[in-house]
Amino acid sequence: MAREDLILDPASIDFDNVIAGLDAIQVSNPQRYEMEQLTGIVYDDVEAGVCAGYLDIAQDAFWVRGHMPGMPLMPGVLMCEMAAQVSTWYVVKHDLMPGKRMGFGGMDEVKFRGIVRPGDRLLCVLKQTRYRPNRMLVCAFQSFVGTNMVAEGVIRGIPLPDEI
């Protein structure tokens, strides 16, 4: 992929400058335990509509034992979940849907371009492409291990009802 097609160059990310760690993420994101797919937020530019978060893939992540014994590969659905969690943090942090919880509204054009293994650091970069207040947020996302793109797509977030 050409550099101009990147939302953000993954080589430019300073992982020593964490904007929000797990405790801060838990304030906005309801996922816990095995479903927490974010370790930290390392980039946030509300003017550009760009945000980036990462996940350090544990050697004993819940999927390692069963998602291809002898050759553990992170399931693509968890990469998509990570994009959803980065977008939820972004929405809550910038109060784009006051008082609302976010949920999946859909995904388009998702492509998996590489593998993610235990011990990797997965970076997810997203860019807001469409926003309808209190209705929907659409973001393009790109995920990387190092500078290698492993996934990309478009994710749609919608507000969830107060009670399910």
Side-chain angles (χ1 to χ4, degrees):
M1 177 169 274
R3 286 180 92 70
E4 61 272 8
D5 295 329
L6 296 177
I7 296 170
L8 188 66
D9 183 351
S12 70
I13 298 294
D14 179 4
F15 288 97
D16 292 328
N17 185 24
V18 175
I19 295 167
L22 186 55
D23 290 340
I25 291 166
Q26 287 177 337
V27 170
S28 60
N29 292 24
Q31 294 83 358
R32 296 294 183 267
Y33 314 111
E34 296 86 2
M35 288 310 296
E36 290 177 307
Q37 300 301 309
L38 271 177
T39 303
I41 300 293
V42 288
Y43 188 89
D44 184 31
D45 182 343
V46 71
E47 297 299 320
V50 176
C51 184
Y54 72 97
L55 174 66
D56 288 326
I57 311 298
Q59 296 291 335
D60 63 350
F62 76 94
W63 50 266
V64 169
R65 189 174 69 129
H67 198 253
M68 312 259 280
M71 190 175 86
L73 303 175
M74 184 180 193
V77 69
L78 292 179
M79 291 183 226
C80 294
E81 175 65 23
M82 181 186 183
Q85 291 185 25
V86 174
S87 67
T88 296
W89 183 88
Y90 178 80
V91 164
V92 173
K93 171 69 176 171
H94 299 294
D95 204 25
L96 298 179
M97 296 193 194
K100 305 284 187 185
R101 286 188 185 240
M102 294 296 296
F104 267 126
M107 298 193 86
D108 297 305
E109 303 172 39
V110 175
K111 295 180 181 94
F112 300 103
R113 303 186 172 281
I115 58 175
V116 182
R117 296 184 176 114
D120 286 345
R121 173 171 278 173
L122 181 61
L123 173 71
C124 181
V125 178
L126 64 83
K127 178 170 181 51
Q128 176 183 326
T129 59
R130 211 166 91 201
Y131 170 59
R132 291 174 54 198
N134 294 312
R135 303 268 316 211
M136 180 176 48
L137 175 78
V138 179
C139 296
F141 74 91
Q142 298 171 337
S143 297
F144 303 86
V145 172
T147 57
N148 297 316
M149 186 180 298
V150 295
E152 65 177 321
V154 175
I155 186 167
R156 195 174 292 101
I158 58 172
L160 294 175
D162 293 334
E163 294 185 28
I164 297 178

